[in-house]
Amino acid sequence: MKRPVTSGAETTNPAASSAPSAPSGPAASTDSTADRDAVPAAGLDGIPRQRPLTVSTVSAEGVHVAVAERVPAAVERAPATAGSARLRRLLARLRRVRPWRLFPTPTGTPFTFGYAVVLAVTSLIAEYADPGLVDRVLQASSTDVAHLAQSPVRVLVASALWIAGGLTSAYVIAFLLVLTALERRIGGWRTAGVFLLGHGLATLATEIPVGLSVLAGHLPESSLHRYDYGISFGVATSVGALAGLLRPWLRWTVLAVFGWMVLGDLIAFTDPMTNWGHTMALAIGVATWPLLRRVSSPGQLQDDDRDHGDPS
């Protein structure tokens, strides 16, 4: 026997078909709508029951219209959206990284850039000029006890114009990176003050004991005229000062690495006076933390290139 075809508006429940027809009018429409919302309609014959939909609305004709999006789909998209936001933030940070800011520029870090140019010139002179002339100039620039007793200011300044070991010294890279970062945070004048403070105090702290030892007869008189020049004391002080302006994890990493190098040289005892000078210079830089933190916020990196008109 062929099954009678029914419309979509009719129900397949026989009991419902034999019931008396509902009254017409606005009240009937409201009641029927409430009944349909309260009791889920049975599925059509031959069609599997569908998943429950999250939101349903009623159209003007009174037919249920379901929203296509379900809750599980929204939940599945949430982690992907959070991961995409993190990826966008990471890419934005990478775009702000400018490696050239690690090195000095004429407008962004004028003190470090100008000082680097002077050191490059003096290093080329020491490499290619007449050896006899170079030896006399270095001797006159040495901060030994004899010169410090005669003209301390002149030799302290002159000794800082040369690099012990020339342009191949590891202190050249340290000078460029450390003083550039320090000047971007506290400015050129303060950076020059920190450098000269460490250079002068560490030199005096190592040379005065030599003079006293010569007077006491523990060292020969030739110790009063030993060569002593270079930028290493100033660089060590700048490393200690810069560490106080970095984030904690980077601060202790820098101090641990540089401190291990300094202590390693001191344990080797190849040049005790210079090695003790590096240790004291690093301590002088650490002692400047309270003063420098008043003029520079922790972790602050000023955009000096932009402030001074650098095109970057």
Side-chain angles (χ1 to χ4, degrees), residues 111-233:
F111 167 73
T112 305
F113 184 85
Y115 197 177
V117 171
V118 172
L119 292 175
V121 172
T122 56
S123 297
L124 292 176
I125 292 174
E127 182 70 23
Y128 298 105
D130 179 70
L133 174 62
V134 172
D135 185 71
R136 289 192 298 271
V137 172
L138 292 179
Q139 180 62 47
S141 302
S142 175
T143 52
D144 52 45
V145 177
H147 284 120
L148 285 175
Q150 296 172 1
S151 52
V153 177
R154 180 185 63 82
V155 293
L156 281 173
V157 174
S159 64
L161 302 179
W162 304 90
I163 303 175
L167 294 177
T168 59
S169 173
Y171 280 97
V172 173
I173 299 299
F175 171 88
L176 294 175
L177 296 179
V178 173
L179 266 73
T180 298
L182 187 61
E183 185 173 358
R184 290 189 186 280
R185 287 164 170 79
I186 64 174
W189 288 107
R190 295 188 181 98
T191 301
V194 169
F195 184 92
L196 293 176
L197 176 68
H199 175 72
L201 290 182
T203 298
L204 294 175
T206 53
E207 292 293 345
I208 289 177
V210 172
L212 296 177
S213 297
V214 171
L215 290 177
H218 299 297
L219 290 176
E221 190 175 348
S222 59
S223 299
L224 299 177
H225 304 280
R226 66 184 298 274
Y227 274 11
D228 187 14
Y229 63 90
I231 61 173
S232 58
F233 289 171

Side-chain angles (χ1 to χ4, degrees), residues 93-112:
R93 290 177 181 177
L94 291 177
R95 283 194 295 268
R96 289 196 298 268
V97 173
R98 291 172 285 182
W100 58 88
R101 287 176 58 83
L102 297 175
F103 297 96
T105 60
T107 54
T109 54
F111 167 73
T112 305

Side-chain angles (χ1 to χ4, degrees), residues 35-62:
D35 292 341
R36 284 196 299 268
D37 292 339
V39 181
L44 300 177
D45 291 342
I47 300 178
R49 181 179 296 275
Q50 304 297 310
R51 292 181 182 180
L53 303 176
T54 57
V55 182
S56 63
T57 57
V58 180
S59 65
E61 293 80 10

